[in-house]
């Protein structure tokens, strides 16, 4: 799956135009949740941009496994949120 497509779903569910517009508190929620569900994506130029944005959001360095977890969890939760809103 393309990272751009993943980020589009996350931004739509969160009601923002860019991942960096998501409040730090919400990004930390994505980090702290352990969903145990993994999506497959390629670390392309869009992933690099996402990773750089994470570095600017957090005051400390974010390692790659943490960045992957945040992206994964944000996507899974966003799909659920969008699906729930469509069924109501």
């Amino acid at each position: 799956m393309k990272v751009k497509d993943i980020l589009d779903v996350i931004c739509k569910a969160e009601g923002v135009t860019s991942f960096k517009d998501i409040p730090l508190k919400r990004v930390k929620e994505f980090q702290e949740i352990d969903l145990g569900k993994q999506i497959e994506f390629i670390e392309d130029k869009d992933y690099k941009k996402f990773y750089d944005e994470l570095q600017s959001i957090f005051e400390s360095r974010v390692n790659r496994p943490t960045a992957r977890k945040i992206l994964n969890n944000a996507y899974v939760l966003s799909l659920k949120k969008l699906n729930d809103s469509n069924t109501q």
Side-chain angles (χ1 to χ4, degrees):
M1 180 170 240
K2 293 181 180 178
V3 172
K4 182 186 180 321
D5 296 338
I6 294 169
L7 292 172
D8 287 346
V9 169
I10 295 167
C11 290
K12 181 178 179 183
E14 295 297 317
V16 298
T17 56
S18 171
F19 191 87
K20 65 182 175 185
D21 295 331
I22 298 173
L24 178 60
K25 180 180 177 183
R26 181 69 172 141
V27 176
K28 286 184 177 181
E29 289 174 10
F30 296 144
Q31 178 184 4
E32 293 169 357
I33 296 170
D34 187 16
L35 296 176
K37 189 174 187 180
Q38 297 295 315
I39 57 170
E40 295 294 324
F41 60 88
I42 299 166
E43 290 189 19
D44 58 6
K45 64 179 176 62
D46 292 316
Y47 180 79
K48 171 77 169 109
K49 182 179 174 188
F50 163 76
Y51 184 72
D52 291 343
E53 286 177 358
L54 271 185
Q55 299 294 348
S56 69
I57 292 170
F58 281 86
E59 294 177 5
S60 60
R61 182 167 157 21
V62 177
N63 63 35
R64 280 202 169 315
T66 300
R68 289 184 66 86
K69 180 179 180 182
I70 290 170
L71 185 64
N72 180 78
N73 289 349
Y75 179 72
V76 172
L77 292 173
S78 294
L79 281 180
K80 183 178 180 338
K81 185 177 186 178
L82 291 172
N83 287 336
D84 289 349
S85 69
N86 288 335
T87 58
Q88 294 179 355

